[in-house]
Amino acid sequence: MDIVVCIKRVPAFGAQVPLTDDGSSVDTRHLGFTIGPHEECAVEEAVRLTTAHGGRVTVLTVGPQEADEQLRYALAMGAHRGVLVDTGTTELDPEATATAVLAGLTDEPEPDLLLFGDASADAGHGQVGVRVALARGLPVVGGITGLEADGGDPAEGGGAAWLRASRDTPDGTEVFRLPLPTAVAVKEGLNLPRYPTLPGRLKAKKAALRTVACAPERGGLRTHGLRRPADDRAGAIALGRGADAAPAVVDVLAELGKV
């Protein structure tokens, strides 16, 4: 199976995300970045599928040159090739992102499977996979939490021909049988992504990446401003020091019904 996994460079989880002074965008100067959890599961699933059925995994990302860090992380997980669509530092909307993904796929071999995260960890639009699949005339299904390939034994020269995809709904489980080629957007929980090994990281660090320059036109989505939600988390309250804190601790335990 020839699989392309589209990943996105997003702020590291748990980080305080600062905004620019005018509130128009995220201030990324001191942020750490990672791969979104849905997309990390997509990379893991692609590696598992090619291990079982043969083929290769190509990871593709859209963004600045610094996004090569996320490509190399995916390579360290077991992907075979990386493609960076360099769009500079401008934040793209889903329409422009899909255009850039299509530009990155232009000179690539036709994949059997396009994998996306169900939604990016930062914007959460959930549109790019659908837009890319529509442009390429592929069937697409999202929200997938189970994925199996049906087909021949790679040792006998036969790869997978169908995918069995499932997703949870309030009324049960929906199951889809998809002919290849197809596009699928997966959710966190599909699998447990592996942690890259040291040899894998060293190999990924030296890997050559294919870079495609692209300046897509702006889509129809407009950002009017960003704001930080109010931090209503309760702060820690010091009950005292040493033995002086004992009565206050007993009062708290009594209030909780523990004593």
Side-chain angles (χ1 to χ4, degrees), residues 3-159:
I3 304 175
V4 173
V5 186
C6 295
I7 64 175
K8 185 180 181 183
R9 180 177 186 256
V10 297
F13 312 121
Q16 292 290 329
V17 180
L19 303 180
T20 56
D21 293 337
D22 61 1
S24 63
S25 61
V26 173
D27 185 351
T28 61
R29 290 175 297 175
H30 306 295
L31 275 180
F33 289 88
T34 186
I35 300 173
H38 300 318
E39 293 146 355
E40 191 173 7
C41 286
V43 174
E44 172 66 27
E45 195 66 17
V47 173
R48 294 187 185 189
L49 287 170
T50 54
T51 299
H53 299 278
R56 67 175 182 175
V57 178
T58 299
V59 284
L60 182 151
T61 194
V62 171
Q65 281 286 342
E66 291 78 7
D68 67 344
E69 178 185 356
Q70 283 64 53
L71 287 178
R72 296 188 189 281
Y73 185 89
L75 292 174
M77 289 178 65
H80 304 95
R81 297 178 61 249
V83 178
L84 171 63
V85 183
D86 186 356
T87 57
T89 57
T90 302
E91 184 67 23
L92 304 180
D93 66 5
E95 188 175 349
T97 301
T99 299
V101 170
L102 291 167
L105 293 173
T106 298
D107 294 327
E108 290 292 310
E110 185 71 23
D112 300 301
L113 175 62
L114 278 172
L115 280 179
F116 300 86
D118 197 58
S120 62
D122 50 359
H125 295 302
Q127 296 184 27
V128 174
V130 176
R131 289 179 178 275
V132 172
L134 180 63
R136 294 178 72 93
L138 297 175
V140 59
V141 63
I144 295 303
T145 54
L147 201 60
E148 297 177 8
D150 299 323
D153 186 342
E156 299 177 359

Side-chain angles (χ1 to χ4, degrees), residues 226-249:
L226 301 174
R227 62 179 177 83
R228 291 179 57 86
D231 189 355
D232 55 1
R233 293 175 296 178
I237 300 175
L239 299 178
R241 290 180 178 276
D244 294 338
V249 171

